[in-house]
Every structure is written in C-alpha cells, then in structure tokens.
Amino acid sequence: MDQLQAVYVRALQTIADAGGIEGDELRPIACPFDPAVPADRLGLAMIAAALHERQRRGYVVEWNAPQRGAFSAIAFPEGVRTSAAIASYGDQFPLLRIERAHADRDATITAYAERIAVHVSETARQPIAYVLTELVANIWDHAETETGIVLAGVGGGHFVLIVVDAGISIPFTYARRDIAFPDDTAAVRAALTGRSARPQGGRGYGIRTSAAIATRGWGGALLLASRHAMVLQTVDGETVRDTAPLHWNGTIVVIEAPLPLRAIDLYAYVEG
Amino acid sequence: MSKGDAICIRLGVRGSSLAARDSVREILRDAEGDAPILLDATGLTFISRTAAAELLDAVRRWRAAGRIVEWRYVGDDIAQMFRAVDPSVNIEG
C-alpha cells in the first residue's frame, strides 16, 4: 500500500515534469513504471489518461520508455476498446479505454471483469463485476468526460484494479452543486462515506460499497485520489495525503487486494 | 396485460449487462406515454446497483402515475440485485 501512494505521487510528478496536460511547453512524458509490477500499473494508467487528454486537446502524443515492448504487450497507451480486442491479449490484462459513446461499452466492461474473474478468482466474479461497473458508472455520472481508463494487474501475491478519468474532479463536482468543503481531502473523504453530489436520494453507494468490498471483504485497500487529495483506506483506517501543488484533474480509484481473493457474499455489502 | 396494448422494453437489448444510468435511460426512452409497460429481462445476466436503482426509480414513477408495469424473465441474479436496492420491490408477473 505504501507502494501505491509512492507510485501515485511519482506519476503526478512525472506528468508535471513533462509540462502537464496542456500548455506551450509540453514535453514527451517519461514512463518509469514496470508493467510487470501491479502497483506500477497505476502510474501507467495515469500516464495513458494524460496522453489521451493531451490528444483530445489537440496536442501530439509523445512518450518515452527504456523498452517499449512490455508496454505494447498491454496495449499502452492506446488501450483496447472492445470485448474482442480484450480477448486477443491472451493471459494479459490490457489497458482498457472505454468511451461513453461506444454502443457496447457496458458489455466491454463486463468482458473485462469476466477476464479478471477467470484469471484471479472465479468465486469473486460478482463482486469484481460490481466494483468495476460501479466505478466506471461514476465516470459517466459525474466526471463529465467521454473517456475512462481501466487497468488490472496481478503479481507478487496481489491484485490491483485501477479506474482513471481526466474529467472534473470530486471537489469540483461538489463545488458546482454548492456543496462546500474546507479542502479537497474533506471532499474526497465525503465521497468515500457515500455523500453524493446529486440531490436525489439513493445515490453515492458506488465508492462506499467498493471500499467496503476491498477492505472488509478482501482484506485490501482502496485508494481514492482527486485534484489535490489522496486517501488510502484499509480495514485499519485511513491514510491521507495532500499532494499540492501536484494535482490530478479527474478521479483515480485503485483497489489492491491480496491473492487469493476471499470469497464474499456481494449482497452483504450492497446497500439499499 | 395483452401484448397489443403494452410497451415492451427489452432490458437486454444492448447485451447481457446493464451498468450505467444513462444506459438505462436510453433503453427506457420508448416508454413515454400512458400505455402499460412490460419489462423483459431476457438475456440480461448482470445489472449494476446503479443501473438497478435507476430502473426501479422509473418503475416507481410509472406506478405512482397509475401505469401498469409488469416484468418478464427476470433471472435470479437480477432479482437479487433489485431486492438489494429495494427489498419491497414487486417483480412478480
């Protein structure tokens, strides 16, 4: 879990060193991360999202890495977008680029969840599908962006699941609805408790339930980061970090859990 | 409910899974009006909590407005998510 924090901050710094997402002094983004290391996949997902955001804004997509072969093996940074493309990557978990406008996006997400279940734990099929679909649904509901990045990984006895968007951040989403917090950390912690930015009832459960599954259920951790805040939640409590002046305009969710994933009853966690 | 006068909404029209709120809203686009509604879950094997909540909200609104809403071919996993979201939900018939 310390490794996840370190990767998160290193990725923010790497992107900042390259000039960020837009501006007159953009440089190729370096990729100091190893696809074979599960925690490093967080850095890769963030850099892929940053590159896609640069491209969306009309900039040239440039990146560099010592050896590119390992990166193309997981479809970095372009990402795969269909169920068929996922299946073509053998035993690998490729980087998934999901787009709001894609007609089969729900089926593609389900196919990715299915691949995870097959390779990680058949008994965890339902909760894996639940957390992945709920975290991605938050992108469409709140982030006001057209693209999301998903990347899973296993190694060293651990499983990671990463969902990244470069849309509007959690603190900004609340602020737009006149929900004020003293700082970004308070806003991110509110999201973890299930406080929705929407006025309707019955919302806000996605992250809270996913965190419960990751921590109480699987004995792992959930990292939630947005703008200047990063909160790492485990069954033992929270670690909070303000990363200012570094920031991520968007939201990042990472679930890390020890393997084998514990068999849990999903409906013991789903809230009414 | 006779087939002729009901609007049949196929929940599995976009595939075996239904995940996001906007996916549900798109599927329910043809449910405007006053006619009875038949929600057909043929082929649907997974629904997220988010999508289930959006769908059940729509069902509540329709029933509150006096519309007849019936379900067909709701699988066990789908029914279980519906009941997790709303234990009082009626998905019989």
Side-chain angles (χ1 to χ4, degrees):
Chain A
M1 286 137 206
D2 289 342
Q3 196 176 10
L4 271 184
Q5 291 184 66
V7 168
Y8 176 67
V9 174
R10 189 178 185 193
L12 287 181
Q13 189 65 63
T14 298
I15 294 166
D17 289 347
I21 300 294
E22 66 178 344
D24 295 329
E25 298 185 11
L26 294 185
R27 296 172 291 284
I29 301 178
C31 284
F33 302 108
D34 181 357
V37 177
D40 276 17
R41 290 192 166 214
L42 167 58
L44 293 176
M46 292 171 65
I47 290 173
L51 290 169
H52 282 294
E53 190 59 21
R54 280 188 176 184
Q55 185 177 45
R56 189 186 71 80
R57 299 182 191 206
Y59 298 99
V60 174
V61 174
E62 293 180 301
W63 59 284
N64 56 55
Q67 294 174 21
R68 292 193 167 219
F71 296 90
S72 62
I74 62 165
F76 175 92
E78 184 63 22
V80 298
R81 291 188 284 170
T82 65
S83 307
I86 293 170
S88 71
Y89 275 77
D91 291 338
Q92 284 280 6
F93 295 119
L95 188 130
L96 180 65
R97 176 161 59 102
I98 41 167
E99 293 172 348
R100 183 195 300 269
H102 195 254
D104 293 331
R105 63 160 204 237
D106 287 1
T108 301
I109 285 294
T110 304
Y112 200 84
E114 179 67 18
R115 167 172 284 256
I116 294 171
V118 166
H119 287 90
V120 171
S121 171
E122 292 274 5
T123 60
R125 175 175 272 103
Q126 272 192 326
I128 288 170
Y130 177 90
V131 298
L132 185 51
T133 54
E134 293 293 338
L135 295 178
V136 170
N138 278 344
I139 297 176
W140 314 135
D141 281 350
H142 300 293
E144 296 188 14
T145 185
E146 303 306 302
T147 303
I149 298 290
V150 176
L151 183 58
V154 294
H158 282 85
F159 160 70
V160 290
L161 178 61
I162 302 146
V163 179
V164 178
D165 75 73
I168 65 173
S169 66
I170 291 173
F172 190 65
T173 300
Y174 281 126
R176 285 175 63 164
R177 298 187 184 276
D178 297 324
I179 301 172
F181 292 98
D183 53 39
D184 286 1
T185 297
V188 168
R189 293 174 96 174
L192 273 170
T193 64
R195 182 171 182 180
S196 176
R198 304 269 184 184
Q200 305 95 320
R203 289 180 174 248
Y205 296 116
I207 288 182
R208 183 167 81 185
T209 302
S210 297
I213 290 171
T215 56
R216 284 189 283 118
W218 289 336
L222 182 139
L223 181 152
L224 178 61
S226 195
R227 207 157 67 181
H228 294 125
M230 187 220 75
V231 177
L232 183 71
Q233 191 173 82
T234 69
V235 70
D236 296 324
E238 278 183 352
T239 302
V240 168
R241 187 160 180 175
D242 185 327
T243 61
L246 299 174
H247 65 279
W248 179 263
N249 277 334
T251 298
I252 293 167
V253 187
V254 186
I255 287 176
E256 182 186 62
L259 293 174
L261 285 184
R262 296 179 202 165
I264 64 171
D265 174 11
L266 170 64
Y267 296 99
Y269 296 87
V270 176
E271 299 175 69
Chain B
M1 181 192 304
S2 73
K3 278 188 189 175
D5 58 6
I7 299 171
C8 181
I9 303 290
R10 290 183 52 228
L11 300 178
V13 66
R14 296 181 66 165
S16 62
S17 62
L18 201 49
R21 288 185 189 276
D22 58 352
S23 301
V24 173
R25 286 194 287 264
E26 193 172 312
I27 288 173
L28 301 184
R29 215 169 30 197
D30 292 335
E32 298 296 320
D34 300 321
I37 296 170
L38 177 61
L39 296 169
D40 187 327
T42 302
L44 192 67
T45 59
F46 176 83
I47 188 166
S48 71
R49 190 209 177 279
T50 294
E54 184 74 18
L55 181 57
L56 294 181
D57 279 350
V59 171
R60 269 192 291 274
R61 286 195 304 272
W62 292 327
R63 284 178 170 159
R67 295 180 80 175
I68 296 170
V69 181
E70 291 187 3
W71 300 86
R72 184 166 69 186
Y73 305 133
V74 178
D76 290 344
D77 285 347
I78 306 299
Q80 195 168 12
M81 184 60 81
F82 285 156
R83 293 195 178 101
V85 172
D86 180 2
S88 69
V89 68
N90 177 9
I91 56 171
E92 301 302 321

